[in-house]
Amino acid sequence: MIQQVIFAIAVVGALGFAFNKYAKILRNIRLGGEYSTDGGDFERMKNVALIAFGQKKMFKRMVPAVMHLFIYAAFMITQIELLEIFIDGFLGTHRFFWDSLGWFYTFTISFIEILSVLAFIATVVFLARRNALKLPRFHMDEMTGWPKWDGNIILVLEFMLIIFIFHMNGADEVLYNIGKAHAEGMEYGEVGSYGFAISRFAGPLMFGWLADYGDFGVWILNLLERFGWWGHILTVLCFLMYLPFSKHLHIMLAFPNTYFAPLNSRGEMENMPDVMNEVKMMMGLTEMSADAPTEDELPEFGAKDVFGLSWKNILDAYTCTECGRCSSVCPANMTGKKLSPRKIMMDIRDRADEVGRNLDSGDYNRNNYDDGKSLFDYISREEIHACTTCNACVEACPVMISPMEPILKLRRYEILTESAGPGDWVPMFTSIENGGSPWQVTDARDKWATDALDENQ
Amino acid sequence: MSNKLQIPVMSELAAQGVEPEVLYWVGCAGSFDARAQKVAVAFAKIMNEAEISFAILGQEENCTGDPARRAGNEFVFQMMALQNIETLNMYKVKKIVTACPHCFNTLKNEYPALGGNYDVIHHTQFINDLIKEGKLVMKGGSAFAGKRITYHDSCYLGRVNGVYEAPREILQQLDNHLVELKRSKTNGLCCGAGGSQMFKEDEPGEKRINEARVEEALETGAEIIVANCPFCITMMTDGVKAKDKQDHVMVVDISEMIVSNKRL
């Protein structure tokens, strides 16, 4: 009974805490502006199926893809066991489904165990890749301090989850072997084996010797089983509460992010109807309307803060798990420029978090937000100027994030609102505007043709 | 060349009441850059050879606005784009071919939102179609025959618009030995010109992007780097010079290989 009460308190407390945090993240995402998600339902579902569930884009790099698949599959399938843990926790039962599901129970738990072993291997490999192998993408400038910790903490938590599962099943197996187990529908004193694929061997191997110690051994085995059970569920709850502070949110957000990913051509930069209409009026293509807005303040174009981005850009930022595939293929980054597409996404998330915290403090409100800071306090001009818009980062992202789009929105702010930007671009703009070509030229545009005709008489 | 080269201008054809099948969008590089002008002529020769009814806009063509838009200057982009769309719609243009992937992308993907809807194709796709239709038959042997070549995917034709095969299919028709770059197709590495980098100094760094890309191209041992974009050609040519390999490695557009093959 006492266990049930503690369990209920832990679950309700953790869910309450987590709900509050997730609600804030949702609020932060909605700080962003409009983003059209019209149409293409089928295509969107297809993307979710192939790219989020199917991890299609991960498989561009085989080793991490397979390792990641192990952890992903183990995580997904463990949810079934988690369901039983919740039922057992609330009802005070033990292995609620054991009797009723029969062979299918053994099969399911065996499946979970095999995947857990694979996930264990993957976790070791990932820890090694991060810390021992020194893969360049895990050691860029933005991966120091908290992001480095974060990556390792997640892996250690995964490690613990797996260890606890085998503690639980292993100790329980030994108890069953000596007739001291008590699953639902099992007669106490029944001697047998759960027959789970791994723990039927690993259990006796790890804890079998305790059976020689009589009641004390049984007491220890029960303690180990409970330790595993509680350890597992408490780690799950910690995980849930930790996620909103972590890069690891991708386990949830990868799905909506893939669903909402743009369906239009990558090559199309979002049109700016306000600018288009103004230029149309200027060119006399549309009638000057009498009720044209006469604002005192100049309108703000592009983005200088999270408010100027779309909510999808911010969702992108919270979805990013800092894998760094984008930065490892970025031509600017690989030639030593300051730009790192991953850092852009991390900066947007950190800024959204900061704005969110300030809103929570009650000193600021959403509609008139000004804390004297902006995204430009996180992202330098040098970074946004280095982008070649080559789309390699967009192509590389396994969860359909576009680091390029916010870069271009920041450029728009810089050029259109601040009239700033690289000095070299000024003559280019002037030449285009006045001569219809980015180079200042005096020749006629078809001189190449007339020359060629002369030569080929 | 037996017949006289012809590069008709749209306004002149319109005056005669002639509507050409396809508009050849030359672009700023093709019009003004000395190196890209050669590509423009090469492609014009190919169209002459295949007896395509085409025209250029000539003086009426303007920058598509791509470099301005990607630098962030939407005003200048809109000015160019709306003006070009006015002109194109006035001539009732339906099909556009261009030898510049940046023009290609902007005309194809960005003009529709502004009221310009055309069937836009890149010259490598156009040439590949001509070969498939039998309108352009390759000859055996040419200055490039038997050479080891490599093909550089431009970002805006490749990764952005997914055209990887048409240029490679053309290269198969020519008598070459194609060695793929280690980064190619979806993984292709940018030449460094896109996003208006062409028009500014590099940001501080360890290396120039074009040099990094040329290093990869040199690793293939190719004597010829084949490109499909005037800006890539500039960047790769500069990179080859920076590596002091200009006497051993050439950078050419696919159309120039055709012209060489056909002795046009």
Side-chain angles (χ1 to χ4, degrees), chain B residues 179-200:
Chain B
V179 185
E180 288 285 353
L181 280 146
K182 73 175 179 197
R183 286 182 230 263
S184 67
K185 299 189 181 175
T186 55
N187 299 326
L189 177 65
C190 177
C191 70
S196 257
Q197 299 297 328
M198 183 75 191
F199 305 101
K200 67 187 254 304

Side-chain angles (χ1 to χ4, degrees), chain A residues 60 265-267 269 271 335 337 385 387-390 411-412 415 424-425 428 432 436 445 453, chain B residues 5 61 63 69-70 74 78 80 105 109-110 156 159 186-187 194-197 200-201 203 206-207:
Chain A
K60 270 199 152 187
S265 165
R266 241 179 223 175
M269 268 177 77
N271 195 29
T335 53
K337 277 86 176 172
H385 294 165
C387 176
T388 69
T389 72
C390 76
R411 278 190 183 177
R412 278 178 167 171
I415 299 285
D424 289 343
W425 278 347
M428 184 258 289
I432 296 181
R445 199 171 176 100
L453 296 179
Chain B
L5 179 66
E61 185 186 282
C63 174
R69 187 171 232 198
R70 272 155 187 81
E74 186 74 2
Q78 294 283 349
M80 291 301 115
N105 178 70
N109 296 319
E110 299 193 318
Y156 275 80
R159 195 159 36 234
T186 55
N187 299 326
S196 257
Q197 299 297 328
K200 67 187 254 304
E201 286 300 315
E203 298 306 311
E206 291 151 13
K207 193 187 268 184

Side-chain angles (χ1 to χ4, degrees), chain A residues 287-316:
Chain A
E287 289 293 309
M288 195 78 86
S289 63
D291 51 44
T294 48
E295 290 168 45
D296 293 336
E297 260 182 274
L298 272 171
E300 203 173 280
F301 294 115
K304 78 159 176 183
D305 210 338
V306 286
F307 306 102
L309 299 172
S310 71
W311 60 258
K312 174 63 167 65
N313 295 140
I314 305 176
L315 176 62
D316 273 356

Side-chain angles (χ1 to χ4, degrees), chain A residues 51-218:
Chain A
I51 296 165
F53 278 103
Q55 312 201 348
K56 188 177 154 199
K57 292 184 82 184
M58 284 292 287
F59 281 85
K60 270 199 152 187
R61 299 187 188 197
M62 267 332 251
V63 174
V66 170
M67 293 295 132
H68 182 269
L69 180 69
F70 289 164
I71 295 183
Y72 165 75
F75 175 81
M76 286 300 220
I77 197 85
T78 308
Q79 303 311 310
I80 301 175
E81 186 167 30
L82 202 59
L83 185 71
E84 187 182 49
I85 289 183
F86 270 97
I87 293 172
D88 285 345
F90 279 118
L91 301 182
T93 51
H94 187 65
R95 297 201 182 268
F96 185 79
F97 292 120
W98 179 73
D99 190 39
S100 48
L101 291 183
W103 68 269
F104 187 68
Y105 186 83
T106 312
F107 171 79
T108 307
I109 304 290
S110 295
F111 199 47
I112 292 172
E113 287 197 344
I114 291 166
L115 284 170
S116 296
V117 171
L118 295 176
F120 184 86
I121 296 166
T123 310
V124 175
V125 171
F126 280 167
L127 279 167
R129 283 168 63 90
R130 255 174 208 276
N131 300 291
L133 295 182
K134 303 274 174 203
L135 261 75
R137 67 183 159 107
F138 296 127
H139 295 274
M140 291 177 186
D141 287 347
E142 68 269 21
M143 295 311 285
T144 51
W146 173 245
K148 184 180 164 66
W149 274 102
D150 191 15
N152 283 319
I153 289 171
I154 291 287
L155 288 168
V156 169
L157 284 174
E158 269 163 22
F159 220 74
M160 286 165 62
L161 282 172
I162 299 165
I163 299 283
F164 284 133
I165 283 232
F166 286 112
H167 250 87
M168 176 173 94
N169 290 353
D172 216 10
E173 171 71 16
V174 176
L175 284 168
Y176 196 6
N177 292 166
I178 58 172
K180 304 285 183 192
H182 45 69
E184 290 312 296
M186 182 188 288
E187 234 171 279
Y188 193 72
E190 188 182 326
V191 175
S193 165
Y194 285 106
F196 302 146
I198 307 292
S199 58
R200 66 193 289 191
F201 306 113
L205 211 65
M206 288 189 295
F207 308 126
W209 57 279
L210 282 164
D212 299 336
Y213 292 83
D215 285 350
F216 177 69
V218 171

Side-chain angles (χ1 to χ4, degrees), chain B residues 16-43:
Chain B
Q16 298 160 22
V18 178
E19 272 189 27
E21 277 166 38
V22 53
L23 175 83
Y24 172 25
W25 186 274
V26 184
C28 300
S31 301
F32 299 116
D33 178 84
R35 179 69 187 82
Q37 284 173 341
K38 294 200 170 78
V39 178
V41 175
F43 185 54

